[in-house]
Amino acid sequence: MLPILRKGRLVLAGLCVLALPPLVSAAWAEDAPDKEADPDTPNPAAMRSLASKPPLPRAHKDFSKYRFCPPGDKIKEQPDSNRLLFWTQDGKPDGYAQRRGSSIIYYNAQGQAIRVQRLTAEELAD
């Protein structure tokens, strides 16, 4: 008689374990806000939206010391790497300028240094 009761308890415990996940998910579904019922509740941030536009503030640098720019080029700033990118009017890369220590080095589209601008003591103090 004792082995039969043990077997019955084991089967009952197994049924409870199988029935538990649907009950828990139903309880969680009731706690989740309904979008149709209350449109004013904010949406939780999706990983895709966080990756495309991070919530961190953008870095800001002062590029006023960069004196040379190829004529007619569009300038794109990269403040996190402290450099300016130069693009031609038709969208091809035309080079970049990057600050290294007390100088600003200008490179062509192939990555060769073409100009070095030495910063004065007043410019370095800023």
Side-chain angles (χ1 to χ4, degrees), residues 52-65:
S52 66
K53 293 184 180 179
L56 301 173
R58 297 273 184 199
H60 177 70
K61 296 274 184 164
D62 181 23
F63 291 106
S64 63
K65 297 174 186 149

Side-chain angles (χ1 to χ4, degrees), residues 4-109:
I4 295 173
L5 286 176
R6 285 186 188 161
K7 190 181 243 184
R9 288 182 186 163
L10 184 62
V11 170
L12 183 61
L15 288 175
C16 287
V17 167
L18 291 176
L20 187 60
L23 292 175
V24 171
S25 65
W28 282 341
E30 291 173 5
D31 292 342
D34 187 16
K35 293 297 171 196
E36 291 79 24
D38 190 13
D40 294 334
T41 58
N43 293 341
M47 292 304 280
R48 267 186 208 277
S49 65
L50 285 176
S52 66
K53 293 184 180 179
L56 301 173
R58 297 273 184 199
H60 177 70
K61 296 274 184 164
D62 181 23
F63 291 106
S64 63
K65 297 174 186 149
Y66 291 66
R67 293 191 192 115
F68 174 75
C69 175
D73 279 2
K74 297 178 185 174
I75 298 175
K76 171 117 171 114
E77 296 180 356
Q78 285 188 335
D80 52 344
S81 60
N82 204 13
R83 87 177 149 186
L84 290 177
L85 299 176
F86 305 119
W87 295 85
T88 60
Q89 291 294 327
D90 56 347
K92 295 180 183 174
D94 197 24
Y96 64 97
Q98 187 171 21
R99 182 168 176 184
R100 301 274 180 153
S102 63
S103 300
I104 298 174
I105 304 173
Y106 296 89
Y107 299 91
N108 63 5

